[in-house]
Amino acid sequence: AQSVSQHNHHVILSEAASLELGCNYSYGGTVNLFWYVQYPGQHLQLLLKYFSGDPLVKGIKGFEAEFIKSKFSFNLRKPSVQWSDTAEYFCAVGSSNTGKLIFGQGTTLQVKP
Amino acid sequence: DAGVIQSPRHEVTEMGQEVTLRCKPISGHDYLFWYRQTMMRGLELLIYFNNNVPIDDSGMPEDRFSAKMPNASFSTLKIQPSEPRDSAVYFCASSRLAGGPGTDTQYFGPGTRLTVL
């Protein structure tokens, strides 16, 4: 079965610190990978996605993620976080074979000014 | 484009009452999804439609929940009767590609925060 695991449930960082949020999935077939962000009081919006090609994907607001197939991982990174990055981050894994998109439990990021 | 539109944004009701949540997807999107978000369970897919037809309702918690999509621009999620444990934020999302829910970006609405007293 398809599943997604986000290791960090709550992360607290100071501004300018580097960020890495873990995401691992389990599924043996071809996957499409997404990171969504939900700012306080707002709806989910896409940060970045990977379907094929270069495994290092760049998204909006300076975020990037790397797909490592051998590790079934799609970790999200940002070299220097800002207070405005405070939000909840969701990793999601989709497959055209299963027809499903599964979201992880989410990671709450709190950035202290 | 106005994006996915949901109404109401907030709903407070009493246990046993019927609740209807509404969604207007982005024009031209073939897929529509209903999600529920709670602290305990995170983001759960309840049901999704393709071209107005329900495809997978395995996430609908029980018979008190029902969803319809009478046309390409409107969908409802109904809870009858409502219970306090239904309190959550309900999101509607839509997407375009024909490959299925896992193959394209989903565009989310602002959500409806439901409180059942």
Side-chain angles (χ1 to χ4, degrees):
Chain A
Q2 206 174 322
S3 68
V4 183
S5 174
Q6 292 183 240
H7 323 297
N8 319 100
H9 296 293
H10 198 147
V11 174
I12 302 174
L13 294 173
S14 298
E15 273 194 315
S18 65
L19 170 73
E20 181 160 4
L21 302 182
C23 173
N24 283 90
Y25 66 92
S26 69
Y27 181 66
T30 302
V31 293
N32 302 310
L33 300 161
F34 305 80
W35 275 98
Y36 284 84
V37 61
Q38 185 178 24
Y39 296 104
Q42 297 188 26
H43 58 281
L44 278 80
Q45 54 188 288
L46 184 72
L47 260 185
L48 47 79
K49 61 185 177 184
Y50 171 80
F51 284 6
S52 64
D54 188 344
L56 184 61
V57 180
K58 294 194 183 299
I60 60 172
K61 304 187 180 185
F63 286 90
E64 65 178 31
E66 184 174 13
F67 171 48
I68 303 179
K69 189 174 181 179
S70 61
K71 295 185 177 180
F72 298 90
S73 71
F74 190 56
N75 293 354
L76 181 71
R77 300 194 293 247
K78 185 170 183 178
S80 176
V81 294
Q82 301 173 319
W83 176 77
S84 58
D85 294 324
T86 294
E88 190 159 13
Y89 293 81
F90 294 90
C91 180
V93 177
S95 165
S96 55
N97 293 334
T98 64
K100 290 189 181 293
L101 178 67
I102 307 296
F103 282 84
Q105 283 290 91
T107 297
T108 301
L109 171 65
Q110 183 182 352
V111 180
K112 294 184 174 180
Chain B
D1 198 319
V4 176
I5 299 172
Q6 290 186 248
S7 65
R9 295 292 306 276
H10 301 272
E11 176 81 32
V12 180
T13 190
E14 292 187 346
M15 183 173 63
Q17 296 297 306
E18 178 181 295
V19 175
T20 299
L21 311 181
R22 297 173 177 80
C23 175
K24 176 178 168 51
I26 293 173
S27 177
H29 282 191
D30 296 324
Y31 286 84
L32 183 139
F33 309 85
W34 282 101
Y35 290 90
R36 179 172 67 176
Q37 184 181 37
T38 61
M39 290 288 290
M40 292 297 295
R41 301 173 68 92
L43 195 62
E44 304 172 274
L45 176 65
L46 300 177
I47 185 171
Y48 77 90
F49 296 82
N50 177 213
N51 291 324
N52 313 338
V53 176
I55 302 300
D56 184 352
D57 65 354
S58 59
M60 296 285 262
E62 46 197 280
D63 292 345
R64 297 184 296 107
F65 285 69
S66 63
K68 294 181 179 180
M69 192 165 185
N71 57 62
S73 59
F74 183 66
S75 177
T76 59
L77 178 68
K78 186 177 292 187
I79 308 172
Q80 166 64 15
S82 59
E83 296 182 3
R85 60 192 169 119
D86 302 330
S87 297
V89 181
Y90 291 81
F91 288 103
C92 176
S94 68
S95 71
R96 187 173 40 192
L97 271 189
T103 63
D104 196 16
T105 303
Q106 292 188 18
Y107 295 84
F108 285 76
T112 295
R113 182 173 296 276
L114 173 65
T115 302
V116 183
L117 303 174

